[in-house]
Amino acid sequence: MATTVFQQALGTLESHSCLSSSGFRHECGSASVKLISKDFKVDIALMRRGNYCSKKRSFSLIQASTSQTTVFDPVSSPLHKTANDSKKKPSEAALILIRHGESMWNEKNLFTGCVDVPLTKKGVEEAIEAGKRISNIPIDLIYTSALIRAQMTAMLAMTQHRRKKVPIIQHEENEQARAWSQIFSEETNKQCIPVITAWQLNERMYGELQGLNKQETADKYGKEKVQEWRRSYDIPPPNGESLEMCAERAVAYFQEHIEPQLQSGKNVMIAAHGNSLRSIIMYLDKLTSQEVISLELSTGIPMLYIFKEGSFIRRGSPVAPTEAGVYAYTKRLAQYRQRLDEMLQ
Ligand SMILES: O=C(O)[C@@H](CO)OP(=O)(O)O
């Protein structure tokens, strides 16, 4: 083979790194994981500096059926591993964050919060466009909020994915729901991506602003007051959640459920909301409560992070499915992309 995708990608790494640098701090802390028993209990001492630092967490790593799905993947398939590779633990994984596409209340400029509003036609198109941008990035597991706009976005984005795996919502609300949604073909199972819905990833609860027009609210209470409710870190809107309160559930969920998946080498996509994702990005990028004020997320724009050796490395937003810089950072991503090309030619 003449020039591999990896080699091409490496050639452009430098320029893309510059493009994706956003002024946020990228240095990451470290996480140490210690196995303390055979029943999957782990003790994770998160030694991160910043607002969520120095928290020692102890929890059971629940072996959800979703995390046990054995998937054929050009990157992780034993067919492509060398004897040496198979001994190594995966130390890197892709993490895609995506805010839902435009909702019907975004269009009407209404405070939405936890009200369960669907996408507009434009939102549907944004989700499909986002799917094209990430169509070459491996995804083993999808997390969404419990709200339809995030779920629609994840599903629509996956219609564009080149692996053509089928995203399947996991119904674990009770034993019957679990039993009735079982798949009885191992082969079919391998071609599915589990989608886990979690209320903890919902938009922050906007209290008594939900359903109010943003402009009319600013006219009534003053632009500064409304901006404080919308973007300050610790001032909640009337009877609603501040970003800090939203972070308490969203970041805790991320740390307890999603980080262990990344640590085990699973590539994850999270489809959620402006503020639940702002709180997660604050954690990933170690933003201060001042810095997060100016963090704005557009609807339907995917953001890629690489989780590597306990650190999150922000790669920015892929502008196109073949953008070399996206694949340059890790050899695994480059190999995945190359094998996809070979398989799907
Ligand atoms: O209305 C909302 O729920 C959010 C996101 O659309 O609005 P804001 O931009 O004020 O956080």
Side-chain angles (χ1 to χ4, degrees):
M1 177 150 323
T3 319
T4 66
V5 172
F6 183 49
Q7 287 162 335
Q8 290 165 11
L10 278 179
T12 56
L13 172 61
E14 210 171 333
S15 57
H16 281 276
S17 298
C18 296
L19 279 177
S20 69
S21 91
S22 59
F24 292 123
R25 288 178 295 135
H26 296 316
E27 82 273 28
C28 294
S30 60
S32 71
V33 180
K34 188 174 59 161
L35 275 176
I36 55 173
S37 79
K38 284 186 187 149
D39 62 358
F40 304 111
K41 285 236 161 104
V42 293
D43 180 8
I44 294 193
L46 285 166
M47 296 181 295
R48 298 180 185 284
R49 287 160 296 149
N51 292 341
Y52 301 94
C53 300
S54 326
K55 269 191 191 161
K56 190 169 180 181
R57 293 181 167 272
S58 208
F59 57 85
S60 290
L61 180 60
I62 298 159
Q63 294 291 294
S65 56
T66 49
S67 66
Q68 293 303 294
T69 311
T70 318
V71 286
F72 171 82
D73 189 285
V75 175
S76 57
S77 166
L79 289 175
H80 297 286
K81 277 183 177 170
T82 64
N84 210 19
D85 283 345
S86 60
K87 281 183 209 145
K88 282 189 211 154
K89 280 205 158 184
S91 62
E92 61 190 41
L95 169 65
I96 298 165
L97 308 181
I98 179 168
R99 182 185 171 200
H100 61 82
E102 183 196 68
S103 78
M104 287 181 167
W105 278 15
N106 290 146
E107 187 185 37
K108 290 178 185 292
N109 204 24
L110 304 183
F111 284 103
T112 314
C114 286
V115 182
D116 205 353
V117 177
L119 299 183
T120 59
K121 184 168 176 287
K122 182 181 165 203
V124 168
E125 286 161 5
E126 285 174 341
I128 291 171
E129 195 47 44
K132 288 181 187 156
R133 292 183 179 207
I134 55 170
S135 60
N136 279 322
I137 300 173
I139 297 173
D140 301 315
L141 205 46
I142 298 172
Y143 288 86
T144 77
S145 75
L147 301 173
I148 192 77
R149 57 193 187 274
Q151 295 178 9
M152 285 177 81
T153 300
M155 295 305 193
L156 289 164
M158 290 313 291
T159 63
Q160 304 303 306
H161 203 269
R162 284 182 78 198
R163 283 287 284 123
K164 296 283 173 220
K165 284 189 182 174
V166 179
I168 306 275
I169 294 185
Q170 305 300 296
H171 285 283
E172 311 234 316
E173 48 272 24
N174 58 44
E175 195 44 56
Q176 180 174 315
R178 197 173 299 127
W180 285 21
S181 60
Q182 277 185 88
I183 297 168
F184 292 93
S185 158
E186 187 53 31
E187 203 38 50
T188 304
N189 216 15
K190 285 178 189 170
Q191 296 307 321
C192 296
I193 300 178
V195 180
I196 297 161
T197 60
W199 69 267
Q200 293 91 332
L201 299 173
N202 281 6
E203 181 54 294
R204 63 118 142 226
M205 208 279 276
Y206 246 118
E208 289 163 23
L209 299 188
Q210 288 185 177
L212 302 191
N213 182 282
K214 289 176 183 172
Q215 187 53 54
E216 288 168 13
T217 310
D219 295 342
K220 184 170 174 188
Y221 295 97
K223 214 173 144 202
E224 288 71 31
K225 185 76 217 159
V226 171
Q227 189 57 14
E228 192 176 73
W229 284 334
R230 292 181 69 184
R231 291 294 172 265
S232 67
Y233 178 63
D234 51 8
I235 300 170
N239 287 318
E241 284 183 308
S242 63
L243 187 66
E244 185 179 26
M245 291 154 82
C246 176
E248 271 165 29
R249 55 166 166 96
V251 176
Y253 185 85
F254 181 87
Q255 291 175 325
E256 293 182 17
H257 296 269
I258 302 177
E259 258 190 65
Q261 300 290 355
L262 293 163
Q263 277 160 355
S264 71
K266 291 263 185 347
N267 302 292
V268 173
M269 177 167 85
I270 305 176
H273 305 265
N275 294 295
S276 54
L277 287 176
R278 284 173 74 230
S279 71
I280 290 172
I281 290 173
M282 183 178 178
Y283 166 67
L284 300 179
D285 288 357
K286 300 185 179 4
L287 303 182
T288 64
S289 50
Q290 270 306 308
E291 286 170 322
V292 78
I293 290 173
S294 53
L295 177 63
E296 294 282 349
L297 304 185
S298 305
T299 50
I301 304 294
M303 288 157 286
L304 175 67
Y305 284 80
I306 300 297
F307 179 76
K308 193 169 183 179
E309 289 154 14
S311 298
F312 290 98
I313 300 139
R314 172 190 263 261
R315 294 296 298 145
S317 184
V319 292
T322 53
E323 183 194 353
V326 167
Y327 306 95
Y329 199 81
T330 86
K331 198 172 172 182
R332 274 182 92 200
L333 272 190
Q335 287 172 338
Y336 177 90
R337 163 78 205 293
Q338 187 167 346
R339 285 178 187 133
L340 261 185
D341 286 347
E342 287 164 6
M343 274 171 62
L344 302 175
Q345 253 163 22

